[in-house]
Each structure stands twice: as structure tokens, then as C-alpha cells.
Amino acid sequence: MAIIGVRIEFYEKVGDVGEPSQHMLGALDCDRGFKAAAVPRAGELFRLSSLRVGSNVLPVGIGSMVPGPFLPVRAVEHCPVPIDKEGNTLQWWDRSAEPSATVVLHTTRSNDPRLFRTMLERFAAPDSGWDGVFEPGTELDRLWWELRDANSPAAG
């Protein structure tokens, strides 16, 4: 088993796997929130229902370029841990003591703002383990922080 993270990057236009996507709108990131049989390679498919986006049949809030309930993996970022000759993590290393990998997915947002908001609400939930980063001052940034603040324990 492999422990992996996932980053979903939103673009205005998504290129084919191996080609660049255009104009990044923001991203949702979960550092180490998934257990997988193996780390998928670029081009392999990642099931969206493993995230928080909805059912196996109809992902909610993701753009229409989705091939069924999957998104193709765009990249895999490997995060090894530096060790000494005895296998101990080096003292200067200030991250996780366990190696990890992050699977990167590209998508567009849904053209239906209600569906996108519903999907984003799931990621903004306090127990989700997800962080959102959107261009400051944009509609998506304001929406992310509105949903995050509404779901914070202090808001209840």
C-alpha cells in the first residue's frame, strides 16, 4: 500500500495529458489523505469518488471534460525523505519523516455555479483535510474562504 496526497488544479482550459493546461484558477490540496494499491503514473485514471466530489456516476462541480467518474493523472510529485547511513531522518529535515507522493489532477470548474459551490463545500468541510489556494481577490478565492469560514467550529 502507498500513502498519497492529491492536488486538484482548476484551469480555464485543460490540455491533453502531456500538454499544458491554460490559466490556472486555483487548486485544492490534501497532503497525505489517501491509501492506494500503488502510486498511479501520469496518464492513468484516478477515481473521483475517492475524493469528495460525489457519486461514482456523476461527479458534482467538476468540468464537463471528465471521462466518466475518473480524471487522468497529470503528474506525480515524489517527496523522498533524506536519511543518514543508519536510515534515520536527517535532523535538518522539517517535513514528514515518511516519504510520500502527490498525484496531480487537472480539471475545469463546472459551468453551473451551484454545482461547483456544492462540490467546493465538501472540500471546505472542517474534517476534509483539504486546503484551497485560489488567486487572491477572485470570485473563487472569496467563495473558498466564505465556505471555509462557514464550516469552521467557531461558526457553529
Side-chain angles (χ1 to χ4, degrees):
M1 288 293 159
I3 303 298
I4 61 173
V6 174
R7 186 172 64 248
I8 307 168
E9 297 179 351
F10 293 90
Y11 290 88
E12 281 188 8
K13 184 172 190 235
V14 174
D16 291 330
V17 174
E19 299 292 324
S21 295
Q22 298 173 8
H23 192 253
M24 186 176 188
L25 303 170
L28 296 168
D29 184 67
C30 186
D31 193 27
R32 294 173 52 85
F34 299 90
K35 186 172 14 175
V39 177
R41 295 177 301 192
E44 293 182 336
L45 298 178
F46 192 97
R47 183 176 289 279
L48 289 171
S49 61
S50 297
L51 307 174
R52 296 179 74 90
V53 295
S55 73
N56 291 340
V57 180
L58 182 62
V60 177
I62 299 288
S64 60
M65 50 67 66
V66 176
F70 298 93
L71 277 180
V73 173
R74 298 302 295 245
V76 178
E77 299 169 345
H78 293 273
C79 304
V81 174
I83 58 174
D84 62 19
K85 290 179 183 178
E86 286 78 41
N88 300 311
T89 303
L90 294 177
Q91 218 172 18
W92 57 265
W93 185 248
D94 62 353
R95 300 200 192 312
S96 170
E98 295 297 319
S100 65
T102 298
V103 173
V104 181
L105 310 170
H106 288 191
T107 190
T108 58
R109 64 181 277 186
S110 169
N111 289 331
D112 183 333
R114 291 170 299 144
L115 290 178
F116 185 76
R117 181 185 179 96
T118 299
M119 185 270 308
L120 201 58
E121 246 173 356
R122 294 178 180 153
F123 288 100
D127 67 340
S128 73
W130 288 84
D131 290 313
V133 178
F134 297 94
E135 193 174 322
T138 63
E139 170 207 349
L140 293 178
D141 184 56
R142 286 189 294 276
L143 178 59
W144 172 255
W145 288 108
E146 172 191 324
L147 295 172
R148 195 64 165 207
D149 290 345
N151 286 319
S152 73

